[in-house]
Amino acid sequence: MTAETCTIVRRDDAKTFYEGPELCHEYLRNESMWFGTSVVQPGDTGAVDPGHDGAWEVFYCAAGEAILDDGTNEYTLRVGDALTVPPNIPHRIHNRGTETVICVWAGGPGEPA
């Protein structure tokens, strides 16, 4: 990707990976930021993300009801809610509901791909 033009990243072209049963699509990762989505099915919990050295992350709930935890506290996100995660805070997504959870996430400054 170049900084001189806009770029469409199709879902099929995004980096796809699993963190436990959590399906992740990463659309962008560079030295400035990262951006992607997580899909968590009812009854599932994603793997613990250890946090990011020197970087904030934001989770936006686009579908379902997500519960994120930081190892000490739980935060319930409904559609339209966002959670900010400070640097180096471990976190994970739970779906204790009956609908699929979709969270959109972004963070920065970025990390190597």
Side-chain angles (χ1 to χ4, degrees), residues 4-103:
E4 297 85 37
T5 63
C6 298
T7 304
I8 294 174
V9 181
R10 305 282 182 207
R11 184 173 55 173
D12 289 345
D13 296 328
K15 176 182 175 187
T16 301
F17 59 96
Y18 284 88
E19 291 188 343
E22 175 185 343
L23 172 61
C24 301
H25 296 285
E26 185 175 78
Y27 294 85
L28 172 69
R29 180 175 291 267
N30 62 28
E31 66 282 348
S32 298
M33 66 174 295
W34 64 90
F35 176 85
T37 62
S38 289
V39 178
V40 182
Q41 296 301 325
D44 286 343
T45 297
V48 174
D49 182 322
H52 306 277
D53 192 28
W56 283 79
E57 190 164 18
V58 177
F59 287 84
Y60 172 83
C61 184
E65 182 175 283
I67 298 173
L68 280 85
D69 83 85
D70 61 12
T72 302
N73 301 297
E74 290 189 344
Y75 308 91
T76 301
L77 301 181
R78 294 177 184 88
V79 173
D81 293 342
L83 176 70
T84 60
V85 180
N88 301 311
I89 301 293
H91 50 278
R92 65 182 164 178
I93 303 171
H94 305 263
N95 183 348
R96 297 185 185 139
T98 58
E99 298 177 31
T100 299
V101 162
I102 301 174
C103 283

